[in-house]
Amino acid sequence: AQSVTQLGSHVSVSEGALVLLRCNYSSSVPPYLFWYVQYPNQGLQLLLKYTTGATLVKGINGFEAEFKKSETSFHLTKPSAHMSDAAEYFCAVSDNGGTSYGKLTFGQGTILTVHP
Amino acid sequence: SAVISQKPSRDICQRGTSLTIQCQVDSQVTMMFWYRQQPGQSLTLIATANQGSEATYESGFVIDKFPISRPNLTFSTLTVSNMSPEDSSIYLCSFQDRAGNTIYFGEGSWLTVV
């Protein structure tokens, strides 16, 4: 079984500051990892994903994440926060080919607040 | 990128009624998935819908409450039956693209049961 833990249900940063949203996963097989963003009253938008290959992945809006197998982590970062980054962020894990192929297990979400 | 659309986007429903949500994808996909997001919560998988076979439900979800159809490779429906206020949620469909490494979501159907 897979699981995802997002550390911190709420994160608050100042505009221009570093954004760090933490995600740890548990998976019995090599995982696919995803970050999604949900703006207020909107659906889910894919920020970035890790499947295979380079462990540092870059996504939209200046976000990136690094897959660290030894730490079972996939933390999301952005060097400089913008007011428009205020949203809820979900980390998710998928089996990369086993019985759970295509199904996502989500973390509880982290609400990012950006202060002027 | 793939396009996936859901209808209705929002609805207010009376207690005891049923509502069917439609999900249309612009390409043929093998598996489609239905998720629920209750207010202030994360997403939980309801079921996996394969074309030509019965949907596979996750623990805590049953066919009588959430019947699913998958008549072809581009379309699926989820019905929320005999609704109660506890069914007020966002319902989202998703699929995995042919390359197998990106999972797309629809915009969601926001249901409020009164």
Side-chain angles (χ1 to χ4, degrees), chain A residues 32 34 36 38 41-44 46 49 51 88 90 94 101-104 106-109, chain B residues 10 31 33 35 37 41-43 45 48 58 90 92 96 100-103 105-107 110:
Chain A
Y32 285 179
F34 303 81
Y36 288 88
Q38 187 175 38
N41 298 314
Q42 295 189 26
L44 287 180
L46 179 67
K49 65 187 181 195
T51 53
E88 188 162 18
F90 292 95
S94 172
Y101 191 57
K103 299 193 291 187
L104 288 175
F106 282 86
Q108 286 303 301
Chain B
R10 294 179 185 272
M31 290 191 290
F33 306 92
Y35 290 82
Q37 185 180 22
Q41 303 291 317
S42 186
L43 287 82
L45 181 65
T48 302
E58 299 298 307
I90 308 170
L92 301 101
Q96 187 157 8
N101 59 16
T102 298
I103 299 173
F105 281 83
E107 287 293 307
W110 303 60

Side-chain angles (χ1 to χ4, degrees), chain A residues 17-30:
Chain A
L18 171 72
V19 175
L20 171 61
L21 305 183
R22 298 179 187 272
C23 173
N24 288 90
Y25 70 91
S26 172
S27 178
S28 58
V29 298

